Amino acid sequence: MQEIGWKVGGKQGEGIDSTGDIFAIALHRMGYYTFTYRHFMSLIKGGHTNYKIRAANQVLRHHGDFVSVLIAFDQTTIDVNWPEMVDGGVVLYDQSSFQAAAPSDRGVHLFGIPLTELAKGAGGAIMKNMVAIGATAAILQLQPDAFLPVVQDKFAKKGQDVVDSNMRALRAGYAYYAQHYDVSLPAPDLPKKTADHLYISGNQATGFGALAGGCRLLAAYPITPATEIMYWVIEHFPKHGGLVLQAEDEIAAINMAIGANFAGVRAMTSTSGPGFSLMMEALGLAGMSETPVVIVDVQRSGPSTGLPTKTEQSDLQEAVYGTHGEIERIVLTPRTVEECFYYTAEAFNLAERYQCPVIVLTDLYLGMSAQSVDGLPTERVTIERGKLISDDALAQMGRFAYQRYDASLADGVSPRALPGQKNARYVALGNEHNGVGLEVEDQQTRVDQVAKRARKLANFTHESGVSVDGRADAEFALVGFGSTWGVLEEARASLEVHGLIVKHIHFSRVAPFPASALEAALRGVQRALVVELNSTGQLAQLMQQHVNCHGVLANCLKYNGDPMSLKEILTRAHEVFPAGVLN
Amino acid sequence: MSTIQDFQTERATWCPGCGDFGVLNAMQKAAVNLGLEPEQVVIVSGIGCSGKMSQHFGGYGLHSLHGRSLPTAQAVKLANRSLTVLAAGGDGDGYGIGMGHFIHAIRRNVDITYVVMDNHIYGLTTGQASPTSDVGSRTKTSPHGSVEEPIVPLQLALAQNCGFVAQGFSGNIKQLTSLIERAILHRGFSLVNVFSPCVTFNKVQTYEFYKRHLVNLDDDPDYNPNDRITALHRVAKAQNIVTGLIYEDPERASFDQTVYGYPDTPIAANNWVLSREDTAEILATFR
């Protein structure tokens, strides 16, 4: 694989994100596969922020550990990101605003460019980012004209003048670099562009998946990193007969989603950790009243308000166990952007088929990282509404004969009626209830209803929930869930290059826990390294609970807020897998 | 045409003499008078004695969580605008844990009717102080007398510019029925606060107390229920011991009339399948 790692950094509020966006979209439009990662802080201006782009000639699932070109708007950017620089890489810094310093031992080129001055010459200091992009284009030997369509898209509504001055700034950067420096790091060869080459983030894919899956009501409260789902949906739902409600809090949000589902509309809420915690009581209501509901939790670092702009996978056990009492729920953990789309759509089918809450667990890394993919599985999406009782069936019943919570059914799933249907009046309630939905405290009814609800997921059928990549007979395994799939695949490939045969076992669902699939996947495995972004090994604990694998597991844990790096997995793999195998 | 029997279910479990019987009665009568069928009406309740309303009223019901009837009810209505949706709450449920939702429901102005059974006490949990308990009320949790200022729901609603504010009394079912009917007909969020005595735990705010003290604004030909500031004064002057239509703004547009893109057909009845063209159009935005 040919690839390039590019990063721009500076103070929050300096236009770092828009610089990254323009460059990433330009590379994507040229036909490259890109993967972006935003490092940002919970403040509006100041601090350090950076935007990483990895571009290659094949699909990327990870932002990569290395940077070959770094654009530094301040010294902090150099200091913070120096460890990622590759030998022979280039640091471009704004010499109109500071004199950069960097160690000299790594062969990294430190090149000053008067970014601000050149920008002023082109029409305004604000365009220093365009100058930087132009200089980068010179390093990568990309033609400035290739950026014109993106610049037009971005600035056309501000007028042709703005488009022209931005292009002027870009060309000025290009020309300055070409004139003063002769180091080039040519961009990868262009891949063959696919018809459905899309640039999309996990959050956007989640919103699109909801729309495609028939969701027509989102009730949510703004929270990083989930708010982008709301932004996407609010742009598209009204066009398709749907509604977005900005709830007063997360408690209202989930209760709204439950109310809308009760009334027959596919509805969901999207949130992140602290908001998800606030929803726990209502999660129980959905379980007890057997009302479908979909909840998307885009995890961030916790607990409490934790690190609101950093990624983590530490809501796993809350998703699996959260709420008082015991309820049936399904927890999906999409591995990729495509799965954010497809699993969110499918979540509505599962919620209606099993009449229970479905939690889609993603995280900041997957949710906010935009990337190039070869299309989304839109053709796979179907809308299946599960057991709904028909008006005809109800017409043949007497009044009060309809049993919303009929406990005698073998599969535990009793047909749902929707308000408006004659003869089917019932009460959906959080109290324990009998078959017709009346609140009762009778012991036998309680036992029967608990058993009824439990039977629903005892009969669960869906995809296996566990993927296995690599050789089935491998003695060593890398294990993870959700967003770490990409970096683990790279780790597997890298270990194989070094002669170690490993398989990669990955969860895309953790409830109902795919125990038999895991058991099969672990057969013959001598040592399994469970890689997860939390401090207590939540996935490893779940695995041990369901499958006898205590002696086999080792942990690779990270919880400093950054996504897992390839290097960290490889280092830990060296420690855990027998050293002799690696050479 | 429906009858009262159509809106009846099993025997209610409230204490004999409970004010909530009167509220149930008035709600059933209002539904019949408005020509509603049981399947068209949804009652969303919270927790407490008032929470039982969803089970005792013969329409569809959603017995939700403590204090959460309002967000739930608003979504039921927005999901299917052809339904008549009422939220039923109590002073503890609605003005304690659910207070935030109350103010926001007024702001949002979804076309639902909120009936609050206000008995100034926590009944189902056997007699603790509630948000509307008077200063000095002696209860299990205020043995030395409550020191907190009580919430006055009417004033709060008026201050927040609620489009319909009424107060009824369980001992006057005729008036209460009429208030609930008018509240249902009002397009937007409507509040009907009801003095609904707890005969078991509240020995102060009794039927007799209300019969002695209540002023009925519906009987006052000079009272103008379209003037918000007058309404605020009048409620304050009567120390909240009033019944009747306190305020209505018939012009205030409801949420569904103002929110961008809200569909004419009930969302629940919409086609949810994205066409091939729609899908292609969306995919194009990611290129």
Side-chain angles (χ1 to χ4, degrees):
Chain A
M1 180 173 71
Q2 302 173 8
E3 59 171 292
I4 188 99
W6 179 92
K7 193 181 252 188
V8 59
K11 288 187 185 60
Q12 210 131 297
E14 272 193 299
I16 302 298
D17 278 358
S18 64
T19 313
D21 278 344
I22 290 171
F23 194 40
I25 293 170
L27 289 169
H28 168 81
R29 295 260 183 97
M30 289 173 205
Y32 291 110
Y33 290 92
T34 59
F35 189 110
T36 67
Y37 176 69
R38 290 165 54 195
H39 170 97
F40 62 110
M41 293 166 82
S42 189
L43 46 80
I44 314 265
K45 287 190 171 170
H48 172 70
T49 181
N50 66 60
Y51 191 119
K52 166 90 186 275
I53 300 172
R54 186 184 182 196
N57 53 4
Q58 66 182 61
V59 178
L60 296 168
R61 302 297 186 179
H62 181 240
H63 63 303
D65 293 359
F66 302 102
V67 172
S68 26
V69 178
L70 176 68
I71 312 291
F73 287 172
D74 56 17
Q75 180 63 39
T76 309
T77 299
I78 298 173
D79 299 341
V80 169
N81 298 288
W82 187 255
E84 285 184 45
M85 288 304 299
V86 295
D87 294 356
V90 177
V91 175
L92 292 183
Y93 68 95
D94 185 6
Q95 72 180 29
S96 359
S97 59
F98 70 106
Q99 188 53 52
S104 57
D105 59 335
R106 299 257 306 274
V108 174
H109 306 280
L110 192 60
F111 294 154
I113 299 208
L115 295 177
T116 308
E117 256 169 59
L118 290 172
K120 280 181 186 160
I126 194 167
M127 291 183 299
K128 68 179 175 185
N129 54 357
M130 299 307 292
V131 180
I133 289 175
T136 305
I139 299 173
L140 301 180
Q141 299 182 333
L142 298 167
Q143 285 313 304
D145 284 348
F147 292 82
L148 184 59
V150 180
V151 173
Q152 245 157 358
D153 276 6
K154 181 101 179 167
F155 300 109
K157 56 178 179 286
K158 292 182 178 171
Q160 190 57 38
D161 284 0
V162 181
V163 173
D164 291 346
S165 48
N166 274 279
M167 282 308 291
R168 218 161 34 235
L170 192 147
R171 287 179 209 280
Y174 187 94
Y176 188 94
Y177 187 89
Q179 221 170 11
H180 292 82
Y181 306 111
D182 61 357
V183 175
S184 65
L185 304 165
D189 298 336
L190 270 179
K192 195 169 166 286
K193 196 171 167 181
T194 65
D196 234 348
H197 194 55
L198 306 178
Y199 180 71
I200 185 170
S201 72
N203 281 339
Q204 291 172 326
T206 299
F208 186 16
L211 180 70
C215 177
R216 288 297 180 272
L217 192 145
L218 171 92
Y221 186 81
I223 184 169
T224 304
T227 319
E228 289 173 346
I229 297 173
M230 198 175 183
Y231 292 158
W232 194 90
V233 162
I234 208 158
E235 199 180 318
H236 291 89
F237 270 19
K239 286 185 225 160
H240 300 283
L243 178 67
V244 175
L245 290 169
Q246 181 173 337
E248 54 269 30
D249 53 39
E250 285 89 347
I251 295 173
I254 186 170
N255 281 288
M256 285 169 169
I258 290 171
N261 271 293
F262 166 78
V265 167
R266 289 187 158 193
M268 76 166 185
T269 184
S270 51
T271 189
S272 187
F276 188 48
S277 292
L278 285 176
M279 296 179 180
M280 283 300 134
E281 188 191 22
L283 189 66
L285 169 65
M288 182 58 128
S289 66
E290 302 194 46
T291 309
V293 68
V294 174
I295 302 147
V296 179
D297 174 14
V298 187
Q299 298 168 95
R300 64 189 215 183
S301 299
S304 186
T305 36
L307 299 173
T309 61
K310 302 291 180 287
T311 201
E312 209 163 270
Q313 295 181 304
S314 53
D315 298 349
L316 178 68
Q317 294 198 352
E318 185 180 32
V320 171
Y321 297 116
T323 198
H324 54 289
E326 298 158 320
I327 60 156
E328 286 61 41
R329 93 278 306 276
I330 296 163
V331 182
L332 306 175
T333 52
R335 301 172 304 166
T336 59
V337 158
E338 294 93 320
E339 287 188 351
C340 285
F341 170 82
Y342 178 66
Y343 280 162
T344 306
E346 189 64 6
F348 293 92
N349 287 341
L350 294 173
E352 290 207 300
R353 186 183 308 154
Y354 296 101
Q355 300 177 10
C356 71
V358 179
I359 296 154
V360 180
L361 200 59
T362 68
D363 55 32
L364 181 143
Y365 184 61
L366 182 54
M368 294 189 75
S369 298
Q371 53 188 291
S372 309
V373 294
D374 286 325
L376 293 175
T378 51
E379 68 294 338
R380 282 185 74 193
V381 174
T382 55
I383 294 180
E384 295 154 26
R385 303 223 40 202
K387 283 194 200 173
L388 289 175
I389 194 158
S390 70
D391 290 345
D392 288 347
L394 287 166
Q396 287 166 26
M397 290 181 182
R399 197 165 162 248
F400 297 133
Y402 166 64
Q403 291 209 39
R404 167 67 185 95
Y405 300 112
D406 185 353
S408 70
L409 300 173
D411 65 358
V413 184
S414 43
R416 229 159 40 105
L418 304 178
Q421 282 189 288
K422 215 173 160 62
N423 261 355
R425 180 269 170 185
Y426 81 97
V427 185
L429 77 177
N431 286 76
E432 191 56 274
H433 44 262
N434 63 15
V436 296
L438 283 178
E439 183 182 342
V440 290
E441 296 187 6
D442 157 71
Q443 290 97 330
Q444 192 56 48
T445 306
R446 161 70 176 176
V447 171
D448 291 347
Q449 286 292 330
V450 170
K452 171 209 188 293
R453 293 190 291 267
R455 280 201 302 281
K456 296 195 294 187
L457 291 191
N459 293 306
F460 183 86
T461 52
H462 197 246
E463 295 168 6
S464 85
V466 173
S467 59
V468 182
D469 292 286
R471 254 174 53 188
D473 62 348
E475 290 180 1
F476 305 106
L478 294 167
V479 186
F481 75 97
S483 70
T484 51
W485 184 79
V487 69
L488 281 166
E489 270 302 277
E490 288 194 25
R492 181 178 68 82
S494 179
L495 289 169
E496 280 177 356
V497 166
H498 287 89
L500 184 65
I501 304 303
V502 281
K503 63 168 104 170
H504 171 198
I505 302 170
H506 210 86
F507 290 84
S508 53
R509 186 186 77 236
V510 289
F513 193 81
S516 56
L518 175 64
E519 204 157 19
L522 282 174
R523 211 157 286 149
V525 169
Q526 302 299 311
R527 204 91 174 98
L529 182 62
V530 187
V531 180
E532 42 187 327
L533 291 168
N534 58 58
S535 70
T536 53
Q538 297 188 21
L539 178 66
Q541 290 176 37
L542 275 183
M543 290 168 66
Q544 287 171 346
Q545 184 191 333
H546 290 276
V547 173
N548 184 5
C549 55
H550 293 59
V552 175
L553 303 190
N555 286 322
C556 175
L557 305 174
K558 184 175 184 180
Y559 43 89
N560 68 357
D562 286 340
M564 193 62 80
S565 73
L566 178 63
K567 206 162 133 191
E568 285 160 330
I569 298 172
L570 295 177
T571 304
R572 185 76 181 119
H574 277 274
E575 290 166 13
V576 169
F577 299 140
V581 186
L582 293 163
N583 45 48
Chain B
M1 272 302 263
S2 62
T3 63
I4 286 286
Q5 283 72 37
D6 293 324
F7 289 97
Q8 283 170 347
T9 63
E10 85 298 351
R11 230 182 105 77
T13 54
W14 292 307
C15 304
C18 175
D20 294 354
F21 282 104
V23 181
L24 171 62
N25 215 323
M27 282 168 71
Q28 291 167 329
K29 281 192 167 132
V32 172
N33 292 348
L34 292 174
L36 300 171
E37 297 295 329
E39 64 270 14
Q40 298 175 310
V41 186
V42 178
I43 307 278
V44 182
S45 63
I47 298 300
C49 294
S50 67
K52 310 283 182 188
M53 190 58 84
S54 54
Q55 295 179 71
H56 299 333
F57 184 93
Y60 278 86
L62 208 174
H63 188 163
S64 68
L65 297 163
H66 196 31
R68 313 300 170 205
S69 65
L70 284 178
T72 318
Q74 291 169 71
V76 170
K77 179 68 185 185
L78 291 170
N80 187 345
R81 71 191 305 170
S82 67
L83 300 169
T84 296
V85 180
L86 290 91
D91 44 306
D93 181 72
Y95 304 142
I97 187 165
M99 179 51 100
H101 303 307
F102 174 55
I103 294 297
H104 289 283
I106 296 172
R107 280 182 59 220
R108 201 171 285 118
N109 204 27
V110 174
D111 183 18
I112 63 169
T113 294
Y114 188 31
V115 179
V116 184
M117 285 148 267
D118 183 357
N119 59 15
H120 298 64
I121 195 93
Y122 280 22
L124 198 58
T125 50
T126 71
Q128 300 85 18
S130 103
T132 54
S133 292
D134 292 338
V135 171
S137 299
R138 288 178 191 277
T139 70
K140 284 181 180 167
T141 50
S142 57
H144 310 293
S146 171
V147 296
E148 287 145 328
E149 195 63 31
I151 278 162
V152 182
L154 301 188
Q155 288 179 342
L156 271 178
L158 288 166
Q160 188 54 48
N161 201 16
C162 183
F164 185 102
V165 182
Q167 188 153 265
F169 169 46
S170 293
N172 185 348
I173 291 175
K174 194 166 165 236
Q175 183 192 24
L176 183 55
T177 303
S178 143
L179 292 173
I180 292 173
E181 279 174 43
R182 294 171 76 171
I184 290 173
L185 291 174
H186 174 82
R187 188 155 180 192
F189 180 83
S190 47
L191 170 71
V192 183
N193 194 66
V194 187
F195 292 130
S196 180
C198 175
V199 293
T200 307
F201 293 107
N202 187 338
K203 305 299 182 195
V204 178
Q205 277 94 359
T206 60
Y207 286 97
E208 292 68 34
F209 169 86
Y210 286 118
K211 278 175 185 157
R212 254 200 324 274
H213 294 101
L214 272 179
V215 174
N216 187 346
L217 291 181
D218 286 347
D219 290 343
D220 181 350
D222 294 332
Y223 183 71
N224 174 12
N226 302 126
D227 182 342
R228 196 159 66 94
I229 301 303
T230 308
L232 269 165
H233 280 298
R234 195 63 185 265
V235 170
K237 199 174 133 202
Q239 293 179 306
N240 191 39
I241 310 296
V242 288
T243 58
L245 175 61
I246 309 297
Y247 176 69
E248 181 172 21
D249 176 1
E251 305 299 320
R252 189 177 170 196
S254 62
F255 184 81
D256 59 293
Q257 290 173 301
T258 48
V259 71
Y260 173 76
Y262 187 72
D264 290 334
T265 50
I267 299 177
N270 271 346
N271 171 33
W272 300 342
V273 181
L274 277 191
S275 68
R276 205 180 280 260
E277 294 73 33
D278 289 338
T279 304
E281 201 175 298
I282 292 168
L283 285 172
T285 65
F286 295 120
R287 294 225 168 81

